[in-house]
Amino acid sequence: MSPSAILQPFQASTVENLEIGHNLKPRASGSGGPTMKPGSGWFLPSGSYTAQQIVEGCAPLLETVLSNLGQDPPGSPTARQMLLDNLASNLNIGTRESSLHIPMSDASRKEMAGQAVRVGQQLIQYASEVENVRFDPQYTIRSPCEGHLLKPPVASLMFGPRSLEHLMQVYNEYLHQMVLLRDALLPFENFEEVIIPITGKTGRDIGMRFTEQSRTNFLAELMTKQLTQKSVFKAAVSLIAPQLSSIDGYGFQYAYGSVLPSFVIGSSSTRLLRYIPAALGETDIPIAFKSEIQDYYVAQRAEIVAPMEIISAGSVPSFSDQPLDASWLSVDETSCGNPDNGVALKLHVRFSDRSTTAVDLGQIARGRRYAYQVSRESSTGSQEAVPVYVHSAADVLIKSDTGLVTAKDGGIHLILVQSSIVALALLGRIYPENVIVLGPEETIADAERVGKSLSGKPKFVIQIGSAKKNFMPQRDQN
């Protein structure tokens, strides 16, 4: 029985009903009322917000500007259309007014650029749907210039006869709040669902400005260094669980749910995280999930179990492995010492004969990132007459000694699986140096063209049968 069975488990229906802790029913309270009142100024009150609620909470800034700009001349675009169109250009990628310029140099950056566009478009939709907003036409704010460019027609509007001297400051604050929100949401694949705690700060940290420093740190890595899972984790916790900012992890739990790598629910995302309304730990205190093995290179190794059969590269294995019976995630608080410094999260796999094993999710994430996949260019129809050692996935996972599995005598080791959960578990159990993941239509010959071919070193091939390979990271096709 899984540890989460006491409470109603959260089941990831997209991944063979993987159980992820127990269900929560978190509710985003929003502002609880107007965010701008005459004489009180504007701010986001303390509470828990969705992205849409934050956009609605910032709307009085835009409405203040529009009210003062007055009636639109007939036959021309409305001021609302022009100002929202400018915001859309600020939130887009590749425009003159873009607030974010991401070099398209690798798959992770390409994914993040696409994420920025997707988030920006959704924020614009939210902004376009806001109505019946209370605002103060006399409101003023000192909003430092943040370099958000205006389209020429908007510049003419904001600095022309219809405008007032202070309106550009108010509009600038609106633009900046939306840009900060977009950038804060970049780590989350399902950003619309994330519940964001807001502490009601004013002054320099008003609204989303409390994210300024973390945004600077994240964008510096995104644009000048290699984007890592660590940097995405840091950006995510800085928004919704800043107590965990000093820990190096890959996921976490906070008051409103858990945040895990997106592949847990079957995503092919390279780096993005997934908000899940479920609790994995038994504590109300935020906890970080970190890898049990910090440096896999010096980790203990284990020799792979004996093969079920040996075939030639062109042959079809006759062996069929055990089917998966159940799988779940649970916290292992004993594996990383002090829980305040982070805990390990284990993927439990139970086969049809009731044999069970647990694999560290952090090592699974690492193995998934490092695994090779066959591309169109690497695929080939030729193959050498080399022996292939066919192993049982259940034996590799359960009967191997403690440590990351390898083969001291080298060779090609094939493990056939029908379950993406079992494939993930194997990625966390095998030493992640030369592992290839094949789809059902790919062959050992294809695997021989990818990965490393060092003399005497093993090559592990995980081939997924009827299951799809969509849990693997996106790769560049050129």
Side-chain angles (χ1 to χ4, degrees):
M1 173 178 286
S2 78
S4 60
I6 300 172
L7 300 171
Q8 183 180 5
F10 178 94
Q11 288 192 316
S13 58
T14 55
V15 192
E16 303 164 70
N17 292 320
L18 170 70
E19 292 185 10
I20 304 176
H22 60 267
N23 261 320
L24 295 178
K25 295 182 179 179
R27 178 180 175 273
S29 62
S31 63
T35 56
M36 181 185 289
K37 299 178 182 178
S40 300
W42 170 82
F43 75 112
L44 294 178
S46 296
S48 53
Y49 293 73
T50 62
Q52 184 172 10
Q53 289 170 328
I54 291 176
V55 172
E56 293 169 351
C58 294
L61 296 169
L62 179 62
E63 297 302 324
T64 296
V65 175
L66 293 171
S67 173
N68 282 278
L69 288 174
Q71 188 172 359
D72 296 308
S76 300
T78 66
R80 181 182 300 277
Q81 291 171 334
M82 293 175 67
L83 297 188
L84 286 177
D85 181 62
N86 201 102
L87 173 61
S89 194
N90 292 138
L91 296 180
N92 205 346
I93 298 291
T95 69
R96 170 184 171 273
E97 294 79 24
S98 296
S99 60
L100 183 60
H101 301 275
I102 302 177
M104 303 293 190
S105 54
D106 55 57
S108 293
R109 287 188 174 92
K110 290 176 182 178
E111 178 182 49
M112 204 57 70
Q115 172 77 347
V117 172
R118 195 164 64 95
V119 176
Q121 290 174 343
Q122 186 61 65
L123 296 186
I124 291 298
Q125 181 176 331
Y126 290 153
S128 303
E129 294 171 349
V130 177
E131 55 185 20
N132 300 323
V133 177
R134 288 181 59 180
F135 63 94
D136 178 6
Q138 305 302 317
Y139 176 71
T140 62
I141 186 174
R142 172 68 180 99
S143 180
C145 177
E146 304 291 352
H148 304 310
L149 297 180
L150 301 181
K151 289 187 169 185
V154 175
S156 298
L157 173 65
M158 295 305 298
F159 295 106
R162 291 178 61 184
S163 189
L164 300 172
E165 185 176 9
H166 71 282
L167 291 187
M168 187 60 232
Q169 299 263 333
V170 181
Y171 182 52
N172 179 74
E173 187 64 26
Y174 179 70
L175 292 179
H176 195 51
Q177 291 289 333
M178 294 297 97
V179 169
L180 290 174
L181 177 59
R182 188 272 311 273
D183 294 345
L185 294 171
L186 289 179
F188 304 97
E189 187 174 51
N190 59 335
F191 61 90
E192 311 99 316
E193 302 172 31
V194 176
I195 297 181
I196 304 168
I198 297 289
T199 58
K201 294 181 180 180
T202 57
R204 295 182 63 180
D205 288 335
I206 193 170
M208 293 299 297
R209 282 186 176 267
F210 73 94
T211 65
E212 295 268 18
Q213 187 58 55
S214 59
R215 172 181 182 259
T216 297
N217 295 341
F218 179 62
L219 295 187
E221 289 208 25
L222 177 61
M223 290 187 275
T224 64
K225 299 181 180 180
Q226 182 179 9
L227 186 64
T228 64
Q229 200 65 53
K230 174 183 174 181
S231 61
V232 176
F233 167 82
K234 293 287 188 182
V237 297
S238 68
L239 176 65
I240 58 179
Q243 311 95 313
L244 304 176
S245 295
S246 62
I247 303 175
D248 293 338
Y250 60 83
F252 58 95
Q253 175 181 304
Y254 74 125
Y256 301 98
S258 300
V259 176
L260 298 173
S262 289
F263 71 81
V264 168
I265 54 87
S267 172
S268 61
S269 168
T270 305
R271 299 288 184 189
L272 296 181
L273 303 174
R274 183 87 180 181
Y275 164 76
I276 299 171
L280 286 148
E282 302 302 324
T283 175
D284 293 332
I285 301 173
I287 52 176
F289 306 130
K290 69 178 187 179
S291 296
E292 189 175 29
I293 300 173
Q294 295 303 305
D295 185 356
Y296 76 92
Y297 194 77
V298 296
Q300 182 178 344
R301 312 287 173 86
E303 182 67 14
I304 193 166
V305 295
M308 302 299 293
E309 60 180 323
I310 303 175
I311 63 173
S312 62
S315 302
V316 177
S318 60
F319 170 71
S320 179
D321 210 350
Q322 295 184 50
L324 178 69
D325 178 60
S327 59
W328 63 92
L329 292 175
S330 70
V331 168
D332 181 5
E333 296 187 6
T334 65
S335 58
C336 292
N338 185 355
D340 292 341
N341 297 325
V343 299
L345 195 60
K346 295 295 184 72
L347 171 64
H348 296 258
V349 174
R350 186 173 67 204
F351 291 96
S352 58
D353 67 352
R354 313 300 286 179
S355 61
T356 304
T357 189
V359 184
D360 178 47
L361 189 65
Q363 186 61 30
I364 291 173
R366 182 182 286 134
R368 174 180 175 269
R369 289 197 304 272
Y370 293 170
Y372 296 94
Q373 298 180 67
V374 173
S375 66
R376 290 187 297 270
E377 290 77 11
S378 63
S379 181
T380 176
S382 62
Q383 53 197 27
E384 299 178 15
V386 296
V388 176
Y389 302 91
V390 183
H391 298 269
S392 158
D395 285 354
V396 173
L397 289 171
I398 293 171
K399 295 182 180 180
S400 296
D401 293 334
T402 301
L404 297 177
V405 172
T406 187
K408 65 178 185 299
D409 294 328
I412 297 177
H413 299 264
L414 174 64
I415 309 172
L416 301 175
V417 299
Q418 298 297 323
S419 161
S420 59
I421 291 290
V422 175
L424 286 170
L426 288 167
L427 288 172
R429 195 71 171 86
I430 299 171
Y431 184 75
E433 182 180 41
N434 201 18
V435 181
I436 296 93
V437 177
L438 297 180
E441 303 302 320
E442 294 160 347
T443 68
I444 287 292
D446 297 326
E448 290 177 357
R449 293 289 184 174
V450 296
K452 300 176 181 178
S453 300
L454 300 175
S455 177
K457 295 296 183 180
K459 176 176 287 190
F460 292 92
V461 181
I462 301 171
Q463 182 158 30
I464 305 171
S466 59
K468 294 183 179 179
K469 207 172 55 167
N470 59 355
F471 65 90
M472 290 300 292
Q474 301 167 355
R475 301 297 192 200
D476 288 327
Q477 294 300 313
N478 50 31

